[in-house]
Amino acid sequence: MRCTLEAVACATFARRWDETVVAHSNETFLVFESSTSELSQWTYHEFDRIVDSTAAALEGAGVAPGSAVHVVLKNCPAFVAVWLAASRIGATAIFADPASSARDIAMHIRRTTPAVALCGSRNADIYLQGVKRASDEDASSALDIEVLVLEEDLDGRRPRQHPVRTHPAHT
């Protein structure tokens, strides 16, 4: 079995998270203040349950060890949950600015060939335009990307256990 730096990094990050959850289970892990100044918080144990369900959703969408997951989310708890979940699976999270243009998204897709992408509902149309553009520019793997759209009406305070909408890129 070939060991890559990315695989080692994923395993190390996931292992470190698991160790920290055990050591600090009931301590506060994350406090998030929304744009409306509403506070939400999670203990390590509570957030780890979210990471578990996020990992299950990613695997259900086709993420496997070695896969790339394209994450186009603003700074919010869901961003952290996806990053930890991808590491737990052994996948690589590839981050992009949620303000990226369709041209930029297409370029990312061509370079990274993600199995799954996560984006917010506010930029879903731009993301899907980027998928189409990548496909039109001969990135045939773009048609296989499962695009998971997370609703942003909650301003990122509560990561959803499962994506709200799923768009196979080829429809």
Side-chain angles (χ1 to χ4, degrees):
M1 171 188 241
R2 195 177 117 206
C3 182
T4 66
L5 183 58
E6 288 176 354
V8 171
C10 285
T12 302
F13 186 45
R15 184 180 66 246
R16 191 71 181 128
W17 168 253
D18 292 342
E19 291 168 353
T20 304
V21 170
V22 169
H24 303 283
S25 182
N26 293 319
E27 294 176 30
T28 300
F29 164 66
L30 179 64
V31 177
F32 181 75
E33 183 176 358
S34 72
S35 62
T36 60
S37 299
E38 186 173 335
L39 290 177
S40 299
Q41 70 178 29
W42 297 267
T43 64
Y44 282 90
H45 175 73
E46 290 168 337
F47 205 81
D48 192 52
R49 289 191 345 234
I50 293 168
V51 172
D52 281 341
S53 61
T54 302
L58 290 175
E59 288 175 317
V63 176
S67 294
V69 179
H70 200 205
V71 183
V72 188
L73 297 172
K74 63 184 180 177
N75 185 7
C76 64
F79 179 100
V80 178
V82 170
W83 189 8
L84 287 164
S87 292
R88 181 169 282 167
I89 295 167
T92 302
I94 300 165
F95 303 103
D97 184 344
S100 295
S101 67
R103 180 184 63 83
D104 292 339
I105 295 295
M107 180 180 61
H108 296 167
I109 290 169
R110 285 192 312 274
R111 286 193 337 236
T112 64
T113 61
V116 172
L118 285 99
C119 64
S121 56
R122 292 186 186 125
N123 63 338
D125 289 339
I126 297 291
Y127 195 89
L128 293 170
Q129 289 170 24
V131 170
K132 182 176 181 339
R133 186 172 179 156
S135 174
D136 291 347
E137 294 170 357
D138 204 28
S140 59
S141 62
L143 296 177
D144 297 328
I145 300 170
E146 189 73 23
V147 179
L148 307 179
V149 179
L150 303 179
E151 291 298 331
E152 294 181 285
D153 59 341
L154 296 176
D155 196 27
R157 290 186 315 264
R158 296 263 179 216
R160 301 277 186 178
Q161 290 191 358
H162 298 285
V164 176
R165 292 184 291 155
T166 306
H167 295 280
H170 58 282
T171 59

